[in-house]
């Protein structure tokens, strides 16, 4: 766990264009020094990448960059890519590497202009090609691979709700998997919205049963190999979610050696 402690050390880095990495063959990042953490969250649709990545980002003070959010933002902007994107996303397919690299580069450049440093990437890379491009332009310190019992994934996607006013993310699914054949049971309480959000809840267009099943299939085919890519580089931390947020969050902090992070920060100050 010493390596992970080292990664958590605060540092700052310049950003550079990821799109350059897409179009050029040999664009390497300058050696990173004094930079903030650069982590990636991997995992199947519905596993909770967004929930845990955004919590960790608040905790560590780094930006949470979810390529799914960038895609949805582009979709709702009614720009030139909107209709093409909506067809792809609503069928559960992956957007082209080129479009994703452009959206991500722009997000990183905007962040750089605002003085952001470091990130947790959520939903990227999703293909080996994307992982190779990322590796060509910067060093990723750590990749957290979130895992959840397969029976819970579909229910979690179908239970997902967002408040159209405050943007809060909730989940109305109540998961109770019985222990069977030696495997332990698992329960996850719903994450219910407050009363004032109730009438404003929306469901993602790609969170239907048919589309979620297709997204899970695509994950297994194209994104799961990314786990092996990082495992072979010694960067993968596997984390099996033991239940809902109350059980999982403290265990995740422990696995990341962050359970006494605030104490360590003040001791180092
Ligand atoms: P997510 O919110 O991560 O589930 O992403 C929603 C949708 O955006 C995905 O089903 C894809 O269509 C698209 N998308 C997000 N990230 C990527 C990526 N890295 N590569 C390709 N498509 C992506």
């Amino acid at each position: 766990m010493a390596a992970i402690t080292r990664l958590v050390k605060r540092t700052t880095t310049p950003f550079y264009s990821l799109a350059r990495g897409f179009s050029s063959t040999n664009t390497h990042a300058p050696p990173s020094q004094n930079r903030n953490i650069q982590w990636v969250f991997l995992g199947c649709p519905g596993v909770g990448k967004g929930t845990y990545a955004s919590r960790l980002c608040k905790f560590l003070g780094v930006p949470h960059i979810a390529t799914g959010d960038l895609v949805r933002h582009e979709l709702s902007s009614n720009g030139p890519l909107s209709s093409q994107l909506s067809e792809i996303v609503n069928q559960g397919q992956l957007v082209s590497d080129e479009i994703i690299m452009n959206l991500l580069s722009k997000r990183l450049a905007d962040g750089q202009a605002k003085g952001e440093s470091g990130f947790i990437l959520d939903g990227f890379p999703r293909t080996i090609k994307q992982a190779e491009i990322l590796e060509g332009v910067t060093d990723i310190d750590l990749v957290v691979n979130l895992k959840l019992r397969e029976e819970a994934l579909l229910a979690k996607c179908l239970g997902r709700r967002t408040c159209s006013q405050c943007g809060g993310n909730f989940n109305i699914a109540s998961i109770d998997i019985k222990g069977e054949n030696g495997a332990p049971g698992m329960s996850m309480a719903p994450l219910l919205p407050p009363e004032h959000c109730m009438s404003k809840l929306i469901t993602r267009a790609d969170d239907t049963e048919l589309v979620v099943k297709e997204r899970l299939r695509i994950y297994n085919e194209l994104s799961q190999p990314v786990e092996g890519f990082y495992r072979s580089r010694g960067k993968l931390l596997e984390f099996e979610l033991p239940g809902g947020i109350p059980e999982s969050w403290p265990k995740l902090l422990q696995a990341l050696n962050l359970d006494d992070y605030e104490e360590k920060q003040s001791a180092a100050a």
Side-chain angles (χ1 to χ4, degrees):
M1 216 40 82
I4 293 170
T5 315
R6 185 165 39 82
L7 300 173
V8 173
K9 264 205 288 186
R10 303 244 137 186
T11 51
T12 46
T13 195
F15 274 121
Y16 20 79
S17 168
L18 282 166
R20 259 191 309 148
F22 186 77
S23 53
S24 118
T25 47
N26 190 18
T27 314
H28 286 283
S32 53
Q33 39 178 303
N34 295 327
R35 64 164 175 74
N36 220 329
I37 61 150
Q38 299 190 163
W39 289 2
V40 162
F41 264 55
L42 297 181
C44 288
V47 76
K49 294 186 294 295
T51 304
Y52 293 99
S54 68
R55 278 188 162 229
L56 261 185
C57 283
K58 281 194 195 113
F59 190 70
L60 295 171
V62 293
H64 170 218
I65 302 182
T67 45
D69 289 345
L70 302 181
V71 169
R72 280 183 288 279
H73 184 261
E74 184 66 29
L75 256 172
S76 63
S77 72
N78 284 324
L81 290 176
S82 290
S83 62
Q84 187 193 345
L85 285 179
S86 95
E87 203 170 308
I88 297 168
V89 174
N90 292 342
Q91 287 175 6
Q93 306 297 313
L94 291 188
V95 171
S96 75
D97 290 338
E98 185 167 13
I99 291 178
I100 285 292
M101 297 319 299
N102 282 330
L103 291 176
L104 183 56
S105 295
K106 186 172 178 312
R107 168 64 187 81
L108 290 173
D110 291 349
Q112 183 190 21
K114 286 191 265 171
E116 279 181 2
S117 169
F119 49 73
I120 296 182
L121 293 178
D122 156 6
F124 181 93
R126 247 179 165 103
T127 62
I128 291 283
K129 174 78 184 158
Q130 292 177 8
E132 286 169 351
I133 294 169
L134 188 61
E135 187 175 55
V137 293
T138 196
D139 279 333
I140 292 301
D141 309 310
L142 177 72
V143 178
V144 180
N145 187 28
L146 290 187
K147 291 173 155 183
L148 185 63
R149 301 268 290 265
E150 207 170 323
E151 307 97 290
L153 293 171
L154 179 63
K156 283 211 48 220
C157 283
L158 298 182
R160 195 149 50 183
R161 299 289 182 276
T162 303
C163 173
S164 56
Q165 192 164 50
C166 73
N169 291 312
F170 308 101
N171 205 303
I172 60 167
S174 177
I175 292 167
D176 192 7
I177 300 169
K178 303 265 172 293
E180 241 175 58
N181 304 328
M186 193 190 71
S187 60
M188 291 171 94
L191 182 60
L192 294 174
E195 195 56 42
H196 57 269
C197 293
M198 280 294 194
S199 60
K200 303 167 193 115
L201 296 182
I202 48 171
T203 308
R204 273 171 52 169
D206 58 345
D207 274 343
T208 63
E209 183 163 348
L210 206 67
V211 179
V212 172
K213 284 185 172 161
E214 178 62 2
R215 285 161 57 206
L216 286 167
R217 190 191 68 76
I218 299 254
Y219 183 87
N220 290 332
E221 185 185 320
L222 298 173
S223 307
Q224 209 172 27
V226 177
E227 297 174 13
F229 179 94
Y230 287 116
R231 189 177 294 113
S232 68
R233 285 156 175 78
K235 294 190 172 178
L236 198 73
L237 176 80
E238 309 267 14
F239 184 77
E240 177 93 33
L241 291 158
I245 296 172
E247 303 84 34
S248 301
W249 175 243
K251 291 222 161 64
L252 179 62
L253 291 182
Q254 217 173 13
L256 291 167
N257 204 14
L258 288 171
D259 41 346
D260 53 356
Y261 177 69
E262 270 132 5
E263 271 167 47
K264 280 183 197 147
Q265 284 286 96
S266 46

